[in-house]
């Protein structure tokens, strides 16, 4: 289930074009010559060149061969995020969040708005087979309630899986509590550890689902500035801890949503030191941690935690399928509180999805899918960056995430993200405006988040072009 050979060849040539090894107008190796060099068939090389042609990177000249068609018109700079920490405030998330979610759930829109994984990956068929096998062979009805921690085979596979060990975490199955999703795991942690009116430190911009949880529980949020590359500012967090009675830190250190940043290991160690010094816990959202494009997975903050203060939450929803409904939390010293909160909120979760998820982990399909997903999302990110450079007005900035499948755009002065959202919605194209990602309505009025998980089709590429045209119209 790995990336096809022709896709690997195409990606290698694309990287050489982007790095200037092959320049605009230069002839590329002949089909037969490249086939001999790569020790593949002529049809494989033709498929690779065809993919590059579809991406607009090469063109074929009759009786001559393939040539580099173009490079992106310009390099997009990284967005600048204001490094200002505000005071704690009540959270009021805009109703537009629900509007976006409702629209994205229909097939009437071309959606870049909601962070859901690709629907064209082979793993979907594997999941169907897993469910069929489990239904035929496993007992999942007439069992009563599961143990408070959740299904034991699933917890065993989570403990053995590379996703936990590669993150630098060593746990036993008894130290893992299954949940219905990552967000429900985060909700359990908040209910267990804070009370209405308490202050929660979050990075900004922040995933709107976290802000909605904070709002629903009557908590206050203090937004800690983040860097587009390195995530939450540890210096800003330290200053906030000195000034305000922060009870808990909530962050996504690995491939954050919506920015895509990765916190360096040195920052993670400093973060642990702060948690120790101020005697507070942290909820670590690690939902994108496995989706890095590099060969080595970044370590979780919890890998440096020696006193059990970090509660790591994750799920299969961004890697396999949200409908699977399998999440978990590694709660450290707060195990009893989390198990109790799970009991009083849901008693237990459905056994069948846990069994199917455990089977995926047990038989190697999960690891093969991870490799496939990483390579595919990197290619789709690269195509998005090319389209943004071609289609959006001068002054547009974009992050270039090293994992996950969302990117953060900062539009030029004079372009309103909300107006762009409304104009695009009228054309049946969905984006997520920046106002959704902060408790302050004045923040991110020129920013949008784009999800690039889905396969690039002519229709989706035209939708990006339309967004660029609508943004340019505001400057006219």
């Amino acid at each position: 289930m790995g990336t096809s050979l022709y896709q690997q060849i195409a990606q290698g040539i694309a990287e050489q074009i982007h790095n200037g090894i092959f320049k605009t107008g230069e002839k590329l190796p002949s089909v037969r010559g490249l086939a001999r060099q790569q020790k593949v068939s002529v049809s494989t090389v033709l498929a690779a060149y065809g993919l590059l042609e579809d991406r607009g990177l090469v063109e074929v000249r009759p009786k001559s061969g393939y040539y580099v068609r173009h490079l992106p018109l310009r390099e997009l700079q990284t967005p600048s995020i204001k490094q200002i920490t505000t005071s704690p405030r009540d959270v009021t998330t805009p109703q537009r969040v629900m509007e976006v979610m409702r629209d994205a759930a229909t097939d009437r829109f071309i959606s870049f708005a909601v962070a859901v994984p690709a629907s064209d990956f082979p793993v979907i068929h594997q999941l169907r087979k897993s469910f069929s096998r489990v239904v035929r062979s496993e007992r999942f009805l007439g069992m009563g309630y599961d143990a408070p921690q959740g299904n034991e085979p699933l917890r065993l596979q989570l403990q053995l899986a590379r996703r936990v060990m590669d993150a630098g975490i060593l746990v036993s199955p008894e130290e893992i509590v299954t949940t219905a999703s990552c967000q429900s795991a985060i909700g359990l942690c908040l209910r267990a550890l804070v009370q209405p009116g308490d202050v929660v430190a979050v990075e900004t911009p922040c995933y709107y689902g976290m802000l909605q949880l904070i709002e629903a529980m009557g908590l206050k949020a203090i937004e800690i500035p983040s860097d587009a590359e390195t995530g939450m500012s540890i210096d800003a967090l330290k200053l906030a801890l000195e000034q305000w009675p922060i009870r808990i830190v909530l962050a996504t250190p690995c491939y954050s949503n919506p920015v895509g940043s990765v916190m360096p290991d040195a920052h993670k160690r400093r973060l642990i030191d702060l948690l120790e010094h101020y005697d507070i816990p942290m909820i670590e959202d690690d939902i994108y941690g496995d989706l890095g494009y590099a060969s080595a997975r970044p370590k979780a903050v919890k890998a440096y935690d020696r006193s059990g203060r970090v509660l790591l939450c994750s799920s299969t929803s961004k890697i396999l399928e949200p409908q699977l409904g399998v999440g978990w939390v590694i709660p450290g010293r707060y195990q009893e509180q989390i198990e109790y909160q799970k009991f009083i909120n849901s008693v237990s979760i459905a056994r069948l999805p846990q069994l199917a998820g455990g089977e995926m982990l047990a038989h190697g399909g999960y690891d093969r899918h991870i490799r496939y997903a990483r390579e595919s999302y990197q290619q789709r990110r690269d195509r998005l960056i090319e389209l943004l450079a071609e289609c959006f007005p001068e002054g547009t900035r974009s992050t270039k995430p090293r994992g996950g499948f969302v990117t953060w755009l900062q539009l030029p002065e004079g372009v309103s993200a909300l107006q762009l959202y409304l104009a695009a919605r009228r054309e049946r194209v969905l984006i997520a405006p920046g106002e959704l990602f902060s408790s302050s309505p004045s923040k991110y009025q020129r920013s949008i988040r784009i999800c690039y998980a889905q396969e690039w089709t002519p229709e989706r590429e035209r939708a990006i072009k339309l967004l660029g045209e609508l943004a340019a119209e505001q400057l006219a």
Side-chain angles (χ1 to χ4, degrees):
M1 194 169 36
T3 302
S4 300
L5 189 55
Y6 80 91
Q7 292 177 310
Q8 295 176 23
I9 294 171
Q11 180 65 15
I13 295 173
E15 290 176 358
Q16 290 177 310
I17 291 172
H18 290 307
N19 293 332
I21 297 172
F22 293 121
K23 303 185 185 303
T24 301
E26 185 176 344
K27 186 176 180 179
L28 292 166
S30 70
V31 172
R32 293 189 182 278
L34 187 57
R36 286 193 298 270
Q37 178 191 347
Q38 298 289 332
K39 298 180 181 180
V40 297
S41 66
V42 168
S43 61
T44 299
V45 175
L46 286 172
Y49 275 146
L51 180 59
L52 292 169
E53 194 174 4
D54 290 342
R55 291 176 59 184
L57 287 175
V58 308
E59 60 184 358
V60 60
R61 298 180 187 176
K63 299 182 180 180
S64 181
Y66 288 89
Y67 290 78
V68 178
R69 182 178 179 183
H70 75 105
L71 288 172
L73 298 179
R74 64 184 189 276
E75 288 290 331
L76 298 181
Q77 293 184 322
T78 301
S80 59
I81 300 172
K82 291 182 179 179
Q83 299 299 300
I84 300 174
T85 303
T86 57
S87 59
R89 59 186 302 154
D90 294 322
V91 176
T92 304
T93 55
Q95 283 297 109
R96 204 171 308 281
V97 170
M98 303 311 298
E99 177 182 84
V100 169
M101 298 297 290
R102 282 193 297 267
D103 287 345
T106 74
D107 57 5
R108 296 184 298 112
F109 293 86
I110 300 173
S111 178
F112 301 96
V114 179
V116 294
S119 57
D120 63 307
F121 287 172
V123 74
I124 300 299
H125 303 293
Q126 296 293 323
L127 279 171
R128 289 179 183 141
K129 291 179 181 178
S130 291
F131 268 94
S132 296
R133 280 193 294 268
V134 168
V135 168
R136 291 194 304 268
S137 62
E138 297 287 343
R139 186 181 176 192
F140 62 93
L141 296 176
M143 298 289 292
Y145 296 117
D146 249 332
Q149 301 104 312
N151 179 253
E152 185 175 1
L154 173 61
R155 289 186 286 112
L156 177 62
Q157 291 305 323
L158 289 171
Q159 180 255 336
L160 294 175
R162 286 180 54 194
R163 64 173 297 114
V164 173
M165 299 195 313
D166 286 358
I169 303 168
L170 297 176
V171 293
S172 68
E174 289 73 25
E175 296 173 276
I176 301 173
V177 179
T178 63
T179 64
S181 66
C182 183
Q183 186 150 333
S184 67
I186 294 170
L188 289 179
C189 296
L190 288 173
R191 291 185 185 95
L193 300 177
V194 292
Q195 300 294 324
D198 284 347
V199 179
V200 180
V202 297
E203 56 202 330
T204 186
C206 177
Y207 168 53
Y208 50 74
M210 291 184 180
L211 294 174
Q212 288 177 305
L213 279 174
I214 291 170
E215 177 184 15
M217 295 182 187
L219 305 169
K220 295 181 183 294
I222 182 166
E223 298 189 6
I224 309 299
S226 61
D227 180 85
E229 296 287 338
T230 60
M232 177 183 281
S233 167
I234 304 303
D235 290 335
L237 176 62
K238 181 177 183 296
L239 185 62
L241 286 165
E242 292 171 353
Q243 297 182 61
W244 305 102
I246 295 171
R247 291 295 306 275
I248 197 166
V249 177
L250 173 56
T252 309
C254 296
Y255 315 120
S256 68
N257 178 4
V259 174
S261 59
V262 182
M263 185 180 288
D265 288 347
H267 290 200
K268 293 171 184 174
R269 294 188 186 95
R270 289 184 61 202
L271 176 53
I272 289 293
D273 289 342
L274 285 176
L275 299 178
E276 293 279 356
H277 181 77
Y278 286 93
D279 191 22
I280 59 172
M282 173 188 176
I283 302 172
E284 179 176 12
D285 180 355
D286 193 53
I287 196 167
Y288 293 98
D290 266 358
L291 290 178
Y293 307 149
S295 57
R297 185 209 193 280
K299 286 187 176 181
V301 172
K302 190 166 181 63
Y304 302 99
D305 176 25
R306 297 294 176 262
S307 59
R309 295 178 183 278
V310 177
L311 303 93
L312 184 138
C313 301
S314 191
S315 82
T316 60
S317 65
K318 303 303 184 187
I319 296 174
L320 296 176
E321 162 60 44
Q323 296 291 341
L324 190 57
V326 174
W328 57 90
V329 54
I330 304 174
R333 62 164 68 178
Y334 310 103
Q335 179 102 12
E336 289 186 8
Q337 295 98 307
I338 296 304
E339 289 181 13
Y340 177 71
Q341 285 298 321
K342 178 182 175 181
F343 175 76
I344 64 175
N345 282 280
S346 60
V347 183
S348 65
I349 62 174
R351 184 178 177 85
L352 178 58
Q354 295 182 80
L355 290 169
E359 182 179 86
M360 282 291 297
L361 291 169
H363 296 297
Y366 189 88
D367 285 340
R368 290 194 299 273
H369 167 66
I370 287 292
R371 292 192 294 270
Y372 183 91
R374 286 170 171 169
E375 293 168 354
S376 298
Y377 288 144
Q378 182 175 15
Q379 293 170 11
R380 294 175 186 187
R381 178 209 64 184
D382 291 347
R383 182 57 181 148
L384 174 63
I385 297 298
E386 292 169 1
L387 290 168
L388 295 174
E390 293 169 10
C391 303
F392 272 65
E394 193 74 35
T396 301
R397 294 170 174 248
S398 173
T399 58
K400 192 175 182 181
R402 290 175 283 160
F405 44 73
V406 296
T407 193
W408 183 250
L409 265 64
Q410 190 175 68
L411 302 167
E413 290 280 358
V415 180
S416 161
L418 178 58
Q419 292 306 312
L420 178 60
Y421 161 79
L422 294 171
R425 186 172 182 268
R426 289 192 289 269
E427 300 293 334
R428 295 289 188 262
V429 176
L430 283 182
I431 55 174
E435 68 173 40
L436 306 187
F437 300 92
S438 173
S439 61
S440 171
S442 62
K443 281 187 177 179
Y444 312 126
Q445 294 182 346
R446 292 193 292 116
S447 297
I448 62 173
R449 187 194 69 180
I450 288 182
C451 174
Y452 54 85
Q454 303 306 321
E455 181 181 19
W456 286 110
T457 62
E459 183 181 39
R460 292 182 69 80
E461 293 195 357
R462 284 194 296 270
I464 293 293
K465 182 179 180 181
L466 172 66
L467 289 171
E469 291 171 351
L470 294 173
E473 286 178 6
Q474 293 191 40
L475 297 172

